Structure formats: structure tokens, C-alpha cells
Amino acid sequence: MHLHGTSQINAAGRLEIGGCDTAELAARFGTPLYVFDEALIRRRCREFMDAFRATGLRFQVAYASKAFCVMAMCRIAEEEGLSLDVVSDGELYTALRAGFPADRIHFHGNNKTPEELEMAIDAKIGCIVVDNFTELYMLNEIAKEKSARVSILFRVTPGVEAHTHEFISTGQTDTKFGFDIGNGSAFRAIREAVSLSNVDILGVHSHIGSQIFETDGFKLAADRVCDFAQNVRKELGVTFPVINLGGGFGIRYTEGDTPLPVGQYVQAITDSIKAKLAEYDYPMPEIWIEPGRSIVGDAGTTLYTIGSTKDIPGVRKYVSVDGGMTDNPRPALYDAKYEAFLANRANDPSEETVSIAGKCCETGDMLIWDLELPKTKPGDLLAVFCTGAYNYSMASNYNRLRRPAVVFVRDGEADLVVRRETFEDVAGKDVVPERLRKQAVAKS
Ligand SMILES: *Cc1c(COP(=O)(O)O)cnc(C)c1O
């Protein structure tokens, strides 16, 4: 059994996170419940920051807030000195409302609306990561109308695609994101931007994938981005003050996952960039990265209450919990694997292999297909680990389930950071047109 961060089994044989007994958390806040180990989030932030500090370079670590974007998390990112990536007006709104410094916010996305660009310019955020030509021209026009200057990065596709252990070097990347380096579109974008009146070129950005366990993909991407930077400098006389190599650093969901220590990714990226740019005698830019999953993923645990079971002799035993694809869509979306155990009886030996089902009306609503557990009873608590990233942020109201609460735990204290949804949250936005309203039946 692998315990993350401050998680441990207490004297009562129950899972404890951040010094809080999970059975008590479940009783106090209800289930399903997302529990975040605040000390572990902060440790992950510091691992990235310390690794960069050790290089002596100028840098920014931008938390990719789409992994888990709530105001309390924005506060932690700020306290730890991170910057913040947003990809929508809603995420930008959340960050600003949390008081996150606008000049450390970066806006991503392949289809930012005019309203989103206006909002970003009005808020004076740090930079906009321009994804395509439509956006480039539109952004310049909007900035012009507002007599504003906007710092921009260009999202480029270096022809490297990385997945966990493999990376693929592709000539031309078939992706909806960014300007291709290989086919010359990235170069044309910079050339165009040079002639635009209200944008300032800050540099280039590349993001090669997610849940990556090796450094080779990052090194190759760094090489290609640096080659591109040198080409741009030679041909256009533009020198980039920033190179951003994105996120995608892997975490351990199950024992099959073997992430590297954070420092090794940072080292590989900065070493590659340094070496390549030294060849070109290119002034060392600020290096940015954008971890999402690796900041919050393993700090999150979801607590569920076990309800019904269905035993099909010789086939499978289904054990159902009070959440499912609504609070964790990743198994259904990506066939993602998770580890779990009984939080209220953590020392009990495993007796059988069961499958953990969610409560939604979908055959595919399964959280874990094969899990060794003690014989369970209704009311037992199941803890599913590593649910901090892309769970709450991807949660839905399918079947009109209410989205769970989120708590941060640390030093024996639990703080609510998102309250559980109410029925009013679920149905209160509905509008019934006059003609469909229930009429009082006239009695004769
Ligand atoms: C999603 C994303 C990230 C974060 O990816 P993780 O795998 O969560 O680290 C960083 N940058 C960009 C541009 C992204 O789209």
C-alpha cells in the first residue's frame, strides 16, 4: 500500500491525512469528499521552485490551474511564489477574485473569445499565449482599441509528442494547438507580430504532452525550440526574453507509474536550453514551465461511502460508491487507473477482488476494475488516491448529482475550500417558460 504525503494509518486503524481522521472528515463534511493534503501541495511547489533556484537562472513556475482551479488553490500558488496559467474567462475570474497578482497570470487556449481577450487586457495580465493567426490579429486590434500593449508568447509545436515512457518525433504535428515550427507557420507568426502595433514579443511556448516519465521528450523539444529561436534571431533580429517548455510531468497513480524527481525534469530542461543557446551565443532567456498534475495530483484523495454490492458468482463482484464519473471522469475518459483502500479499516487484510462502480446510469461508470479489499459492508469508507488533478475541475452534474465539497487538511485542521452543492445549485438555474408552468386547475 502506497501512502502519499502526510497520509498514514492511525492507532484506530483509519486513514489519516494532514493529521485528520478521514472517518471524522466524512462524518463532518459528507461524502463523496475531496481531501487535499496542503503540506504535499506546498512541497510539490517548493520542489519545482528549489530546483530552479539551484540553476541560478531567471525562471517562472506557472501552476496550470486547469488541473484544479479554486480560489484557495490560487492563494497557495501565490504564497509559494508560483505564477498561474488560465485557459478561460472562468479560470481568469477565479484567479483575479482570489487576488492572484495579474502580472503573473498567463492566458492559454486555442479559441479565446474577443470577450476573454478584452478581460485579460483590462486585467493587465502578464502575457497571452497566442495560439493561431486569427487570435494574433484579433488581439492586436483589441489592444489597439484600448491603447494597450500586450506581451505575447507564441505556442509552437516542435514536432515532439510525449506520452509517459515514449515520445514520438513527428515532422509535422496534427494538433489543434499552436503554430507548427516544421512547416514554417511559427516563423510567419513571429514575422507578422513584428509588424503589429500593439503586441510585444516575449517568446515561445511548447507543451508536448502529459503524465511524462522521461526527460528525452523535453530535451528534444528544448533543442527544437532553441533552434527556432536562433533562426528567428538570425532572420528577423528578434531575441526571445522567455522560453516556456510547458508542463506534463508525471505522477504516481499506481505502482506501474515511475515519475522522476521533479528536479531531474527541471535539470534536463535547463541543461538542454543552456547547452543549445551557448552554441549559438544566444543570451540566456528566462525559463518558464507549467506543471499542473504534478503540483496537485497526489495531494488529493477522494472519500466515498460504500453502498450496494452485486455479486455475480464466477464473474465479478461490483461494489458501488456514492460518487463516480461525476466526480472522477478520468477512468471513463482515459481508462485511468487508481489505487484505493478502506479508509475506516485500513489494517484489515484483503479478502477478495472487487470492482468499484459509480452510481451513475452508465455502464462505463467504473472507478476501479480490480481492487483487493476486505469484505465490505454498506457504510464503509473507500479512499481513492491521487485524485487531486483533473477530478474536481472536470466534475459534472450528470444525473443531477451535486458536486462534492473540497477540504484542505493540515496539522490536524480541516478547512472547507469548496462547499458541497445544494439542490438549489443543481436546479436553481433552470427556467420554466410561462407556457410550461403548472396551471392551477379551476374547480367547478
Ligand atoms: C494542460 C497543460 C499544462 C499542464 O499539464 P500537466 O500534465 O497537468 O502538468 C501545461 N501547459 C499547457 C499549455 C497545458 O495545456
Side-chain angles (χ1 to χ4, degrees):
M1 164 186 326
H2 184 95
L3 292 168
H4 300 263
T6 66
S7 294
Q8 55 180 38
I9 313 298
N10 66 17
R14 296 198 288 253
L15 172 66
E16 188 178 284
I17 309 173
C20 296
D21 185 312
T22 50
E24 287 169 21
L25 293 175
R28 178 171 161 203
F29 297 101
T31 59
L33 181 68
Y34 297 106
V35 180
F36 280 79
D37 180 347
E38 184 175 329
L40 186 52
I41 298 177
R42 290 182 186 275
R43 190 170 110 203
R44 297 293 180 228
C45 293
R46 285 168 203 178
E47 284 169 357
F48 279 106
M49 297 295 283
D50 290 346
F52 265 108
R53 285 189 189 110
T55 67
L57 299 171
R58 284 170 303 123
F59 68 94
Q60 282 189 41
V61 177
Y63 167 56
S65 75
K66 71 178 196 262
F68 172 60
C69 185
V70 306
M71 287 165 59
M73 183 57 214
C74 295
R75 300 296 321 132
I76 288 181
E78 186 191 350
E79 284 188 8
E80 295 298 331
L82 276 65
S83 301
L84 201 78
D85 280 0
V86 298
V87 296
S88 73
D89 47 7
E91 288 181 356
L92 177 57
Y93 175 80
T94 304
L96 293 172
R97 183 161 164 163
F100 198 91
D103 61 348
R104 273 164 43 201
I105 298 177
H106 316 148
F107 202 141
H108 280 273
N110 66 300
N111 188 24
K112 303 177 194 77
T113 64
E115 293 76 19
E116 285 176 322
L117 293 175
E118 286 196 28
M119 182 175 171
I121 293 171
D122 290 345
K124 299 187 167 56
I125 71 166
C127 79
I128 292 181
V129 185
V130 174
D131 191 275
N132 53 70
F133 285 101
T134 314
E135 179 186 349
L136 178 62
Y137 299 126
M138 182 163 73
L139 178 62
N140 189 62
E141 284 312 305
I142 296 173
K144 205 187 294 177
E145 279 164 29
K146 293 180 177 291
S147 305
R149 297 204 67 79
V150 184
S151 294
I152 59 173
L153 287 184
F154 289 87
R155 177 158 186 170
V156 298
T157 46
V160 181
E161 224 184 276
H163 312 272
T164 56
H165 292 291
E166 308 90 50
F167 73 88
I168 314 160
S169 177
T170 54
Q172 191 171 319
T173 323
D174 181 3
T175 159
K176 71 172 181 173
F177 293 113
F179 299 97
D180 204 83
I181 291 181
N183 71 10
S185 106
F187 183 85
R188 278 193 293 123
I190 312 259
R191 199 179 54 203
E192 283 298 294
V194 169
S195 67
L196 295 177
S197 55
N198 290 59
V199 296
D200 296 320
I201 301 170
L202 203 55
V204 276
H205 165 277
S206 118
H207 173 74
I208 55 173
S210 204
Q211 187 62 351
I212 301 167
F213 295 141
E214 309 286 339
T215 57
D216 298 355
F218 289 109
K219 287 186 200 162
L220 186 62
D223 278 359
R224 295 206 176 153
V225 166
C226 290
D227 288 343
F228 176 68
Q230 168 63 4
N231 189 35
V232 166
R233 185 168 70 144
K234 216 171 59 204
E235 302 289 328
L236 301 173
V238 173
T239 306
F240 298 141
V242 171
I243 287 182
N244 183 335
L245 279 192
F249 314 103
I251 67 166
R252 183 200 180 284
Y253 284 99
T254 66
E255 61 187 354
D257 298 331
T258 52
L260 298 171
V262 155
Q264 282 191 36
Y265 295 106
V266 172
Q267 186 91 44
I269 287 170
T270 53
D271 282 355
S272 295
I273 295 177
K274 265 195 222 163
K276 199 71 179 175
L277 294 185
E279 262 176 51
Y280 296 136
D281 202 18
Y282 195 103
M284 195 63 194
E286 208 171 292
I287 309 299
W288 295 4
I289 58 165
E290 308 173 318
R293 187 192 316 273
S294 50
I295 295 285
V296 289
D298 59 359
T301 300
T302 309
L303 300 178
Y304 299 98
T305 302
I306 287 173
S308 318
T309 52
K310 172 183 173 178
D311 198 356
I312 314 169
V315 178
R316 180 181 299 285
K317 182 168 173 183
Y318 288 92
V319 171
S320 296
V321 296
D322 55 353
M325 64 189 294
T326 40
D327 58 79
N328 184 358
R330 295 190 66 257
L333 268 179
Y334 312 116
D335 196 25
K337 304 286 186 282
Y338 286 92
E339 288 181 348
F341 64 67
L342 286 191
N344 58 324
R345 296 192 281 130
N347 291 326
D348 287 14
S350 298
E351 293 167 283
E352 56 183 1
T353 303
V354 300
S355 297
I356 305 298
K359 69 182 263 108
C360 295
C361 286
E362 263 307 308
T363 304
D365 179 24
M366 296 296 297
L367 288 176
I368 300 175
W369 277 103
D370 291 300
L371 180 66
E372 301 289 321
L373 280 186
K375 288 239 159 50
T376 62
K377 343 183 254 309
D380 274 334
L381 266 188
L382 187 76
V384 177
F385 302 102
C386 271
T387 57
Y390 307 107
N391 272 233
Y392 179 74
S393 63
M394 286 185 153
S396 77
N397 288 120
Y398 181 53
N399 290 166
R400 293 233 138 174
L401 295 187
R402 287 161 290 166
R403 270 179 286 233
V406 184
V407 295
F408 280 6
V409 291
R410 65 175 204 325
D411 302 331
E413 309 239 343
D415 292 309
L416 189 67
V417 302
V418 183
R419 68 160 170 76
R420 184 175 307 282
E421 287 183 342
T422 61
F423 289 128
E424 180 61 23
D425 291 325
V426 170
K429 301 180 290 287
D430 294 5
V431 179
V432 181
E434 186 66 47
R435 65 192 169 78
L436 295 178
R437 285 191 198 151
K438 198 160 178 178
Q439 306 295 325
V441 182
K443 286 222 177 94
S444 54

